[in-house]
Amino acid sequence: MKLTVERILQKLGLTNADEVVEFKMSLNSVQDVESLAVCTHLETLDLSGNRFQVKRNIEGLFGAPKLVSLDLSAAPVCKIPQYRQYVIAHAAPTLRVLDKKPISDEERRAAEAMFPEAIAKRGLGASTSGPIAKKAIDDYDDIFGSPAKPAAPPSSSSSSVSNSGSSSSTRKSGASTKIETPAAGSTSKKLVNDLFDDESDPFFQSFSSPSIPIISSSVPKNSSLQRNSQTS
């Protein structure tokens, strides 16, 4: 039998999942349980003596965000090696008692160090805001490193524009490179040297120094196009 939120509500005679604070269903044939994430006020859960066989059968219990006391004793899953550490690491950080035995801070830190992926599964959400959860996050970072932070967008103050041209300053890996856009009359060689700052390279020395051409939209008076239009 699979324990569902609907079945819990039927047993308790309730209509809303957030009204469930305590639920007991021991010594039954429960083999699996769906996610209890909607039971936002569930604090005490007794499912001892049921038929949970493997870890995945109890994963739905870990969704209860405010669970304080959980009893799964006498279920086959309890015989799996590191069962207790697994439950402590994956359940909500609010869990204080497992199988009638209190959970110490040291035991929690050891369990979450043993199963650091549990924090990632919780998504580092609001349920991990307590001091114990923060310590577990620190332990996780010590083992796997902190998540990489995205690069900050360029600041609007990093560029300026003037009438004589434009300039921008770009910072990368601690170095600053200034790229200038040439104003009218500057040479191609100057632009190349400003970008690469290597006049000794023969490739750059091969550049001549003509001014940057300016394309005019007007047609010269003596152009063949104008003469043709006049004769026609």
Side-chain angles (χ1 to χ4, degrees):
M1 180 180 68
K2 183 172 185 176
L3 181 63
T4 63
V5 174
E6 182 180 3
R7 186 180 296 273
I8 293 175
L9 294 178
Q10 289 176 352
K11 290 281 186 180
L12 297 177
L14 300 175
T15 56
N16 297 321
D18 58 3
E19 295 177 327
V20 180
V21 177
E22 181 177 356
F23 182 71
K24 296 182 179 181
M25 193 174 180
S26 58
L27 301 174
N28 269 274
S29 57
V30 179
Q31 297 176 325
D32 201 357
V33 58
E34 73 174 5
S35 174
L36 301 183
V38 295
C39 299
T40 55
H41 293 88
L42 178 62
E43 296 181 358
T44 303
L45 183 60
D46 183 358
L47 296 176
S48 58
N50 279 281
R51 300 181 181 178
F52 302 113
Q53 299 289 332
V54 294
K55 293 177 180 177
R56 67 172 178 271
N57 296 147
I58 60 175
E59 288 181 351
L61 305 174
F62 305 150
K66 294 183 179 180
L67 192 61
V68 176
S69 176
L70 174 63
D71 192 354
L72 300 176
S73 58
V77 70
C78 299
K79 298 180 181 180
I80 296 178
Q82 301 174 347
Y83 146 80
R84 183 174 175 86
Q85 292 87 342
Y86 178 83
V87 174
I88 293 173
H90 287 79
T94 54
L95 188 66
R96 291 292 179 267
V97 180
L98 175 61
D99 299 342
K100 303 180 179 67
K101 181 181 178 180
I103 302 170
S104 66
D105 292 351
E106 292 77 11
E107 187 179 19
R108 177 175 297 279
R109 285 194 291 268
E112 291 183 326
M114 185 178 297
F115 297 98
E117 73 281 0
I119 297 178
K121 286 184 178 181
R122 289 201 296 260
L124 302 181
S127 63
T128 63
S129 59
I132 297 176
K134 289 180 179 179
K135 174 60 179 174
I137 293 172
D138 291 340
D139 292 341
Y140 179 84
D141 290 343
D142 290 342
I143 298 172
F144 292 93
S146 301
K149 295 182 179 180
S155 173
S156 58
S157 61
S158 62
S159 62
S160 60
V161 179
S162 62
N163 293 332
S164 60
S166 64
S167 65
S168 64
S169 179
T170 304
R171 185 171 300 275
K172 182 178 180 181
S173 301
S176 179
T177 303
K178 188 175 183 180
I179 301 176
E180 295 183 354
T181 303
S186 64
T187 65
S188 299
K189 183 177 180 181
K190 181 180 184 302
L191 175 59
V192 172
N193 289 339
D194 285 342
L195 289 173
F196 300 98
D197 194 22
D198 190 1
E199 296 186 4
S200 62
D201 193 307
F203 173 77
F204 299 135
Q205 292 179 354
S206 65
F207 278 85
S208 58
S209 302
S211 298
I212 296 177
I214 300 176
I215 301 175
S216 174
S217 60
S218 61
V219 179
K221 293 182 179 180
N222 59 349
S223 66
S224 59
L225 179 61
Q226 188 179 38
R227 289 196 301 269
N228 291 337
S229 62
Q230 290 176 352
T231 56
S232 60

